[in-house]
Amino acid sequence: MRLFLSEPTPLNATYTNEMGQAIYKVATPDKLFGTPVATIRRIVPSSVRDSTSTSTSLTSLRDQFGHLAQVEWHTLNHRGSAWVGRRSRRRIFSRRWDGVGSGGEQRVFTAPDGKEYKWKIGMSSSTLRAIDSTAARIAKYRQKNYIINRRPASLEISPAGEHIMDTILVTFVYIEMVRQDEESMAASG
């Protein structure tokens, strides 16, 4: 599945599928002081919303979104956490991956399926791979291309990752916060 971003920045965008259906919305208000918090909302299927109603109203045809998670990034100590749902606050990543000659920052997490995955943060794209004998690519983010084909930013999720799509998006938002923090530190000196 390919999710297209409505904006060049993943931290303030609507993510739509190939048919144009909005699936996720991410909002990260700008903060001059304090800790930035990204709120991630996911579309609520109409069958869940309308399970008690037998009529079709105009409001039931509109996209409605429910809370999925919040991701918080602390720029002072360069650490983050997430609230999945509304109550459980936890660290997302268990460790950094310091492979020799790996190039780029890498972060490891354990998904709800019990498997470990590794995000590699690149300059213009990030890749998620399974940490197993296959090292299969699970997801890839491509930044907006302004020159060639004017391609929009997208997050491609392979069929092997569709069962953990929510987790992929939450961890992706986290690594984008890491990227932005590192870029602002590099720019400031």
Side-chain angles (χ1 to χ4, degrees):
M1 169 180 280
R2 182 177 288 185
L3 297 174
F4 295 97
L5 283 68
S6 63
E7 303 294 329
T9 173
L11 301 181
N12 284 299
T14 298
Y15 293 68
T16 59
N17 65 15
E18 293 94 342
M19 297 181 298
Q21 172 64 54
I23 307 295
Y24 297 100
K25 288 186 178 185
V26 178
T28 310
D30 289 333
K31 286 194 171 185
L32 293 175
F33 303 102
T35 303
V37 177
T39 300
I40 304 167
R41 299 181 320 153
R42 173 184 50 201
I43 193 161
V44 178
S46 60
S47 61
V48 173
R49 287 193 315 261
D50 301 333
S51 60
T52 59
S53 173
T54 57
S55 66
T56 303
S57 67
L58 290 177
T59 56
S60 69
L61 297 175
R62 289 191 204 131
D63 290 341
Q64 293 184 7
F65 290 82
H67 180 84
L68 174 62
Q70 286 186 307
V71 178
E72 182 177 88
W73 179 253
H74 301 276
T75 55
L76 293 178
N77 63 8
H78 309 292
R79 294 208 171 145
S81 59
W83 294 268
V84 178
R86 294 207 180 264
R87 294 191 188 127
S88 69
R89 182 178 178 171
R90 64 182 176 88
R91 287 181 55 206
I92 301 173
F93 291 93
S94 57
R95 67 186 189 277
R96 285 184 176 183
W97 184 276
D98 295 322
V100 176
S102 59
E105 177 99 15
Q106 299 186 50
R107 301 285 176 124
V108 175
F109 69 94
T110 303
D113 64 3
K115 297 178 182 175
E116 282 193 317
Y117 298 90
K118 171 179 59 174
W119 273 109
K120 181 177 180 183
I121 307 169
M123 290 297 292
S124 62
S125 68
S126 298
T127 305
L128 178 67
R129 294 197 176 273
I131 301 179
D132 60 15
S133 60
T134 68
R137 186 174 87 183
I138 304 300
K140 183 173 181 86
Y141 168 66
R142 297 176 194 271
Q143 288 183 344
K144 181 176 181 169
N145 186 320
Y146 292 96
I147 300 168
I148 303 171
N149 299 332
R150 298 183 185 215
R151 178 190 73 220
S154 65
L155 180 62
E156 301 168 20
I157 301 173
S158 73
E162 288 181 1
H163 70 289
I164 58 167
M165 194 161 70
D166 289 349
T167 303
I168 290 171
L169 192 77
V170 171
T171 58
F172 170 67
V173 167
Y174 180 96
I175 66 161
E176 282 302 311
M177 289 179 128
V178 169
R179 179 201 310 273
Q180 285 190 9
D181 185 43
E182 289 176 353
E183 286 176 357
S184 68
M185 284 182 5
S188 66

